[in-house]
Amino acid sequence: MYVCSCFGITEQQVREHAENGACTPRQIASVSKAGTDCGSCVRRIQALLGRGACPRRELVDQGSPDPLGAGVPGAAGPVPPIPSVQTPVDGVLRAA
């Protein structure tokens, strides 16, 4: 059965994307476009996703200090802060 008639996305496709790690309607939209046109399918997508297993949610529930996978090669993680640059002006250090 179709979930998103705008892009022809089926319930099975949403389930497959969820099995591959798309845990939110926004993540489903990024991999399939479902929910990005008229938006009438977003609630149906939410219902299909339910409270089922989600790899990221499981990591958070387990207390992982790295729920976004920054320690996993190739995964995006937190961006480190950029150090402040100071330059001497008239013998006094001032923030640049």
Side-chain angles (χ1 to χ4, degrees), residues 70 77-83:
V79 177
I82 298 173

Side-chain angles (χ1 to χ4, degrees), residues 22-62:
C23 302
T24 66
R26 185 172 292 190
Q27 290 171 339
I28 295 291
S30 71
V31 295
S32 70
K33 290 186 164 185
T36 62
D37 194 25
C38 76
S40 66
C41 60
V42 173
R43 289 188 187 268
R44 180 69 183 135
I45 293 169
Q46 288 173 326
L48 287 170
L49 295 174
R51 299 286 298 165
C54 173
R56 288 191 192 130
R57 189 177 300 132
E58 288 172 6
L59 289 172
V60 171
D61 290 345
Q62 293 170 4

Side-chain angles (χ1 to χ4, degrees), residues 86-95:
Q86 297 182 344
T87 57
V89 177
D90 298 330
V92 178
L93 282 177
R94 300 182 191 278

